[in-house]
Amino acid sequence: KQEVTQIPAALSVPEGENLVLNCSFTDSAIYNLQWFRQDPGKGLTSLLLIQSSQREQTSGRLNASLDKSSGRSTLYIAASQPGDSATYLCAVPLTGANNLFFGTGTRLTVIP
Amino acid sequence: EAEVAQSPRYKITEKSQAVAFWCDPISGHATLYWYRQILGQGPELLVQFQDESVVDDSQLPKDRFSAERLKGVDSTLKIQPAELGDSAMYLCASSLGGFSTEAFFGQGTRLTVV
């Protein structure tokens, strides 16, 4: 069974800082890894999808990297803004399937 | 922009009552998922459909939960009878299908059982 861990559980930074969120998974035979954002009481918004053949993916101020062999992914957020405050979740599919296993998320607070 | 639609957004029900949630996936998405998210945790899969067929319902409490996706488009998740422990966010997601496709989520239904 795939297990996904996200560290730290919570993070508070001043506006403008660059930051890194971490995700680790136990089964490295994955097809892809997906990062999501979740605002309180809302659904999940897909941020980035990294295919297993890729090492990184970028969207605006976000950059996600993937190291399958070590079972790790990082989400880098540049020049953080108060609007980035949310919970960030990473998810990977179980080998041979395409349903997602989620970490418990990192709750980010960006202080103005 | 195409979205996954869910209704209702919020539902309060008394224990032992029946409750139903509806999901309309993005047009053309063959795969539909229902997840449950308890506060402070990541979502966990309840059931997965490929078109109208159930692919995985191993985590669905079948004594009280049922799900259907008639005609392979929209889907309904039902709980009968509801229990206090069912209070959670119920999330629907869809994807084109296959092993490398992106999943898109709806806004969820927040269920409170009293």
Side-chain angles (χ1 to χ4, degrees), chain B residues 23-32 49-53 68-75 94:
Chain B
C23 172
D24 191 12
I26 294 172
S27 178
H29 280 195
T31 304
L32 184 146
F49 291 91
Q50 180 69 25
D51 298 312
E52 66 276 8
S53 301
E68 61 182 12
R69 190 184 183 195
L70 299 176
K71 301 181 182 179
V73 182
D74 58 340
S75 175
S94 69

Side-chain angles (χ1 to χ4, degrees), chain B residues 41-86:
Chain B
Q41 298 183 17
E44 294 185 338
L45 182 73
L46 290 174
V47 61
Q48 177 184 346
F49 291 91
Q50 180 69 25
D51 298 312
E52 66 276 8
S53 301
V54 173
V55 174
D56 185 349
D57 64 356
S58 59
Q59 300 304 309
L60 188 71
K62 298 181 187 64
D63 57 333
R64 298 185 300 108
F65 286 64
S66 65
E68 61 182 12
R69 190 184 183 195
L70 299 176
K71 301 181 182 179
V73 182
D74 58 340
S75 175
T76 302
L77 179 69
K78 298 179 181 178
I79 307 175
Q80 183 173 18
E83 296 180 353
L84 295 178
D86 295 332

